[in-house]
Amino acid sequence: MLSRVAESIYWLNRYIERAENVARFLEVNLNLILDLPRRVQQQWQPLVATTGDSEYFAQHYGEASAEKVIQFLAFDRNYPNSLISCLQRARENAQSVREVISTEMWQQVNSFYLLIANTAADLTLADLNKFLEEVKQASHLFAGVMDATISHNEGWHFGQVGRLLERADKTSRILDVKYFMLLPSLEDVGTPIDELGWIALLKSTSAYEMYRKRSNRHLITPAEVAEFLILDPDFPRSIRFCLSQVERSLHLITGTPPGAWRNPAERSIGRLRSELEYLTVEEIIERGIHQFLDRLQQEINQLDQEIFTTFLDLRSVVYQSSQTQTQIPIQTQTQSQSTLT
Amino acid sequence: MQFDTYDPEHFYDELFAGPQQPRSQGKSLIEQIQSLPEGELLQRQQAAQEALFKLGATFNVYGDIEGQERVLPFDVIPRIISAQEWRYLEGGLKQRIHALNLFIDDIYHDQKILKDGVIPETLIVSAKGYLPPCQGLNPAKGVWCHITGTDLVRDRDGQWYVLEDNLRCPSGISYVLENRRVMKSTFPQIFRTIPIQPVDEYPSHLLQTLLHLVPQTVDSPTVVVLTPGTYNSAYFEHSFLAQQMGIELVESRDLIVLDGYLQMQTTKGLQRVDVIYRRLDDDFMDPQVFRADSELGIPGLMEVHRAGKVAIANALGTGVADDKVIYAYVPEMIRYYLGEDPILANVPTYLCWEEKQLKHVLANLDKLVVKAANESGGYGMLVGTQATEAERQDFAERIKANPRNYIAQPTLCLSRVPTIVGEEFSGCHVDLRPYILYGQDIYVHPGGLTRVALKKGSLVVNSSQGGGSKDTWVLC
């Protein structure tokens, strides 16, 4: 498969997943705010903080308010991670590989794009909730259509890698919203108000029902919510689940047997996944949840970079080869510091 | 909707010989349309248009941030060509492509036709499409113009003429295939009763034409379609053809010349490319040889091509015969290379570089159509009958300043086909672009693209200027 094609399918899926998660961010904040006592001021600044783009926001919008943050995250065409920008780029990527993806996928990307482009920026609160619901639906529909209409070969796996890396990153950031969210006051920690916050968070990751079902300990405690969203082996939005699927897809692309690695990307993902498999939530809390998530996000970025250099950008390899005038076909396997025996 | 009041007037009508007198090839169609319940035809027209949009047969509009795509307007009343007429066109096109290919090969080798004084050498050297770096090139199997889209028109008396040869990268075939698909679902019962030649084999024939260029030593060849990218107005077609043939659609950034071969970057490393079907102009193909500022090209491609390690369709340099001055000599070429009389006629053409003809052109600007030799798509053109005095003056100056660059032709009165305009049938002018493939032998795809001028009275069929298209039926 052409590297450019693989890259486009990768980003097509990342952008769709990113859009879905932007909707989830807005949703979790809306729900948290509605549950806060009236005496507490609405908090929109923390949401901006989780995007990592506070500076852009301050420059273009000033003080955070509901209207401004919605405009910023959903409809700002100049902000690269807004809903509309994500869909525009998803659509561009889809268009550049239209002969590779299925017609149904192309149509779904198109209607997803139109859903956002045709929505007015001055939504009422009631409309906003419905709109966010539709965005999530459109993303699920895309994933389903892709799953059901194209062969699960290399291209499909690159799509999976893109979607699941993005999801792992965003789940970690949604958890972080709670960290940035200033609690009403210290004595509210562990009170019903605090519990409502965690429930809102679980719901925004579609995790509430599965969390309740996972064991016979039905309590909602911060540690257990963190454990569920970071370390659960089966829940499809948990970070561990996402990363194991990424690893599986990478291995199916290269043919490297499980438990081994033949390129930097496979090595990084293997390490990261196994760390999560053997980590306990107590250890995470000891390190500090925010610090842990921060590092995890960096490692995910690193992995994205390694995937790019391993599969998608062969220019450096090509350059070396033309220097030495070798006739060896350039393949990822030539970087074989393999641990295979 | 009924044809009772339809009047072909004093034009050549493809379906009617006179009011209420359908031509024999159109008779059955007209009867069946007449028998449709009131309002049905308009509904089907609407449905066909929507189906085309859904199929994605669109062209991009440059500079539109919304990424809006347009569909070429489509009219459900087809143009019908009888089997006998088609045999005549087919023969004429084969003859013409055969001679043109011999001409291009001659120009880039011995130039016998120039030495024998049939065509003046200065005309070749000054043609924009003549590429000196192609001198001495030996494209695989001696074929230069693998894919041609010849523009044909028919005058008031029904006589066919060749308007342009389009030997570089003609587009439009995707509309032919998609239009037919939609027509079959719009009028399934008509297709059951009228014997119409199918068009679906085009992608297979095209692939075969491309595979024919691979040396026998190559075991499992890689054939690709090269597109300038998603912003090109014909991107849909590039992507469509790649998909239909099941081959890769590449952009030049996917390609690199390494170790004497053209290679593409895949997730498993580099892979050799054996044949390129390029939809990029000659000038942009290799910045080392042609335009140095081309960002779309592949540096070093020409060298690989010259060494016979990659085939390019169409070959570089074919544009020399697209020059409208050179076009005027095609009948001579046919006589010179094949020793035959041309089957298909050229539109009579006045060459402004010849003094006597120049005088005639300048004296008759109000009756003639003047064209710049190197332009296409309706640009650089003066339609004398419709121009103002000031416009004619301006053109006269331009011609005098550079007579080599201009030709003039009588204003043809293109034939018409009944077309749905508003809620009634109107006679609209059409042209015809059949597609010809030159592989092991020459294949003329049955039918082609019928473009129609949807503005009342307009003679301009270009899609950029309000033209639409129709399905073209060649009867068995």
Side-chain angles (χ1 to χ4, degrees), chain B residues 95-96 99-100 113 118-119 162 165 325-349:
Chain B
Q95 180 194 50
R96 195 165 170 107
L100 277 163
I113 197 166
V118 180
I119 301 175
V162 175
D165 290 292
V325 176
I326 308 296
Y327 151 89
Y329 291 92
V330 176
E332 295 307 318
M333 293 173 199
I334 294 171
R335 287 188 194 98
Y336 180 80
Y337 292 112
L338 307 178
E340 298 169 6
D341 279 328
I343 300 169
L344 285 172
N346 261 15
V347 179
T349 303

Side-chain angles (χ1 to χ4, degrees), chain B residues 120-141:
Chain B
E121 192 181 346
T122 55
L123 292 185
I124 299 293
V125 183
S126 58
K128 207 173 121 201
Y130 170 65
L131 301 178
C134 296
Q135 208 62 48
L137 263 189
N138 292 305
K141 323 271 156 131

Side-chain angles (χ1 to χ4, degrees), chain B residues 204-380:
Chain B
S204 321
H205 280 283
L206 178 58
L207 186 59
Q208 242 156 33
T209 305
L210 297 171
L211 284 170
H212 180 240
L213 304 176
V214 179
Q216 286 200 323
T217 48
V218 178
D219 229 8
S220 60
T222 302
V223 183
V224 301
V225 177
L226 174 63
T227 174
T230 50
Y231 294 103
N232 187 272
S233 60
Y235 178 75
F236 164 73
E237 178 158 305
H238 308 161
S239 151
F240 175 83
L241 288 174
Q243 186 187 46
Q244 294 297 308
M245 291 188 283
I247 64 179
E248 298 279 5
L249 177 68
V250 306
E251 296 178 22
S252 58
R253 58 186 157 127
D254 300 321
L255 299 174
I256 186 167
V257 168
L258 192 69
D259 302 329
Y261 288 97
L262 180 67
Q263 318 217 28
M264 63 181 185
Q265 299 182 19
T266 77
T267 53
K268 301 258 188 316
L270 293 177
Q271 187 182 330
R272 259 178 64 179
V273 174
D274 303 291
V275 183
I276 315 178
Y277 174 28
R278 51 104 178 189
R279 296 296 297 258
L280 201 61
D281 278 344
D282 298 26
D283 279 357
F284 292 97
M285 291 291 284
D286 183 347
Q288 285 177 2
V289 182
F290 306 108
R291 280 176 66 156
D293 63 340
S294 167
E295 284 172 14
L296 300 173
I298 306 130
L301 173 67
M302 194 63 178
E303 218 180 297
V304 180
H305 180 48
R306 201 174 278 130
K309 298 207 172 124
V310 67
I312 301 176
N314 288 351
L316 304 180
T318 51
V320 63
D322 270 346
D323 185 290
K324 293 193 172 67
V325 176
I326 308 296
Y327 151 89
Y329 291 92
V330 176
E332 295 307 318
M333 293 173 199
I334 294 171
R335 287 188 194 98
Y336 180 80
Y337 292 112
L338 307 178
E340 298 169 6
D341 279 328
I343 300 169
L344 285 172
N346 261 15
V347 179
T349 303
Y350 300 103
L351 303 172
C352 297
W353 70 270
E354 275 193 8
E355 214 164 316
K356 246 174 83 184
Q357 300 191 34
L358 174 64
K359 271 194 195 142
H360 176 84
V361 170
L362 291 175
N364 292 285
L365 271 185
D366 56 336
K367 299 183 194 79
L368 297 170
V369 177
V370 184
K371 294 176 180 171
N374 291 314
E375 305 279 354
S376 63
Y379 298 102

Side-chain angles (χ1 to χ4, degrees), chain A residues 46-305:
Chain A
L47 192 57
V48 176
T50 56
T51 63
D53 296 308
S54 304
E55 213 168 293
Y56 175 95
F57 186 85
Q59 228 173 51
H60 293 80
Y61 294 91
E63 277 298 286
S65 69
E67 293 75 28
K68 286 178 182 172
V69 172
I70 291 165
Q71 173 63 28
F72 167 65
L73 283 179
F75 304 110
D76 187 341
R77 279 184 187 268
N78 296 318
Y79 175 54
N81 293 321
S82 68
L83 275 181
I84 186 73
S85 299
C86 285
L87 260 298
Q88 197 168 334
R89 287 196 274 171
R91 189 175 180 278
E92 278 167 17
N93 276 291
Q95 192 175 32
S96 74
V97 292
R98 222 162 128 173
E99 80 288 357
V100 180
I101 62 176
S102 65
T103 306
E104 290 89 343
M105 279 170 75
W106 164 247
Q107 281 172 349
Q108 178 53 23
V109 176
N110 235 349
S111 26
F112 195 171
Y113 169 78
L114 291 173
L115 165 72
I116 293 166
N118 295 337
T119 299
D122 54 346
L123 286 170
T124 65
L125 217 51
D127 286 341
L128 181 64
N129 268 315
K130 184 168 161 273
F131 172 66
L132 296 176
E133 198 53 49
E134 282 171 350
V135 169
K136 287 194 299 180
Q137 281 291 341
S139 168
H140 291 159
L141 192 51
F142 173 80
V145 164
M146 175 159 161
D147 202 65
T149 60
I150 65 169
S151 300
H152 290 202
N153 54 20
E154 206 182 347
W156 187 83
H157 283 295
F158 272 109
Q160 287 295 102
V161 170
R163 171 179 308 134
L164 292 164
L165 268 191
E166 181 69 23
R167 187 182 291 171
D169 178 73
K170 289 303 175 288
T171 297
S172 81
R173 286 175 199 271
I174 287 177
L175 256 174
D176 244 9
V177 174
K178 194 73 175 78
Y179 169 85
F180 280 103
M181 197 82 186
L182 300 169
L183 284 165
S185 62
L186 207 58
E187 56 264 30
D188 285 333
V189 175
T191 65
I193 292 177
D194 192 32
E195 184 171 325
L196 285 174
W198 288 102
I199 290 177
L201 189 136
L202 281 172
K203 285 192 171 163
S204 77
T205 49
S206 302
Y208 178 73
E209 291 160 31
M210 293 302 129
Y211 175 88
R212 288 286 197 196
K213 285 191 178 88
R214 86 201 188 288
S215 67
N216 42 19
R217 301 164 300 157
H218 304 289
L219 291 181
I220 291 179
T221 67
E224 284 186 52
V225 172
E227 183 182 33
F228 187 67
L229 289 180
I230 300 172
L231 300 177
D232 192 87
D234 305 317
F235 182 62
R237 307 198 75 83
S238 91
I239 297 171
R240 175 177 160 190
F241 178 91
C242 292
L243 294 178
S244 352
Q245 293 300 312
V246 167
E247 186 185 30
R248 182 175 163 267
S249 279
L250 282 179
H251 280 253
L252 286 168
I253 289 167
T254 56
T256 309
W261 57 273
R262 280 193 282 198
N263 61 56
E266 286 174 349
R267 178 165 169 265
S268 296
I269 184 68
R271 239 158 88 159
L272 201 54
R273 188 258 315 139
S274 52
E275 190 194 344
L276 291 180
E277 276 174 6
Y278 292 97
L279 203 59
T280 65
V281 73
E282 287 75 22
E283 285 171 296
I284 293 175
I285 290 169
E286 207 171 294
R287 288 188 214 167
I289 291 191
H290 174 67
Q291 285 70 18
F292 172 81
L293 294 174
D294 211 37
R295 212 205 75 203
L296 194 68
Q297 285 157 19
Q298 283 168 24
E299 287 183 37
I300 291 174
N301 282 344
Q302 168 82 24
L303 182 60
D304 169 64
Q305 203 50 46

